[in-house]
Amino acid sequence: MKNTLRFGAVAAVGALALVACSSAPEETGATASDSAAATASYKACMVSDAGGFDDASFNQAGYEGLQTVAADLGIQYNSAQSTSDADYAPNIAAMIADGCDLTITVGFLLADATAEAAAANPDSDFAIIDNTYETPIDNVKPLTFETDEAAFLAGYGAAAATKTGIVATFGGMQIPTVTIFMDGFLDGVNYYNEQKGTSVKVLGWDGTNGSFADSFDDTTKGQSLSQGFIDQGADIIMPVAGPVGQGTLAAAKAAGAPGNIWVIGVDSDWTLTQGAVDPDYPSYVLTSVMKQMGPAVYQVVSEAAAGNYSADPYVGTLENDGVGLPGWAAGTLDDATLAEIDTIKAGIIDGSIAP
């Protein structure tokens, strides 16, 4: 609930800002009641990947954005939760059959099913989170995020915070939307080493090869991989694997009190989302590499419901607050390091530092 309220406040401010910055509408003869009726009849829908909408991470963040915009605008919404990749095409078809004006699919793994549905239903609008097609599709809007930018900051901070000189990361699957986090994290650690003359080591990813759970829902694999890193001396771990990351939190908790092993969350602020899984988990979170999927969904649905759907890509960056860090666990980084991270963030935004 805390996360929903927090997003709602941000979304409301964003919506007001969009209104304040837009030009006055042209007179068309349509009445306010006509516009309200059109909005009320609009239906936006969402299909999850196999992690489901209660994953406390990737799917949940997008779904909360849909729920928030539906409540704020008074539009209809529906959703379909997938349990395996076999569900993707049937779930998308079910949303189309239900009369959805816009269907948002969550994740790179739904790319083929989304493209096929869009081709078969050219009068329906679609959006997909975490995928861009090599050949753009007229009725599919990509929502992507430069998570390597935020992960670079997390890697730099992790290198400063580690007590053992060893940190780690692993993925759910070796796909671009996962490895982009791992690339940024590795680059951030390497940048710290270059700047400080240190030799902090990264386990689990070398830029080409690494450790993967081959799953986005098997927490046992996440715990096993994480324990292996801990046994090798890692005291900070970033799992890029949706709910599988809860296995990393379980391993951190089993290793002792908070601060012994730290976990870096992904997609959402894990201090807000993981408490629903275990009330102790938030205290093991060092920071989180956030993709602001909720606000992105809010924006695309708002535009589409107002008759302004566009398939032009949305790209979340540090500059537009589409990605970022919520902060750091208290006492883990000194003021000088926090200032350095702010400077690096500014450098990434102005292009002088490239993840």
Side-chain angles (χ1 to χ4, degrees), residues 49 55-62 106-108 129-130 242 267 291 293:
D49 73 6
D55 63 358
S57 185
F58 181 68
N59 290 278
Q60 182 174 325
V106 186
F108 174 88
I129 295 173
D130 267 358
D267 296 330
K291 286 195 293 192
M293 289 175 288

Side-chain angles (χ1 to χ4, degrees), residues 238-298:
M238 184 181 75
V240 190
V244 174
Q246 292 162 17
T248 303
L249 288 164
K253 183 176 178 179
N260 187 23
I261 303 296
W262 288 110
V263 178
I264 296 176
V266 296
D267 296 330
S268 58
D269 182 350
W270 280 19
T271 64
L272 300 178
T273 60
Q274 296 300 327
V277 180
D278 184 314
D280 293 332
Y281 281 175
S283 61
Y284 289 86
V285 176
L286 179 64
T287 189
S288 298
V289 180
M290 297 171 60
K291 286 195 293 192
Q292 297 287 22
M293 289 175 288
V297 168
Y298 192 103

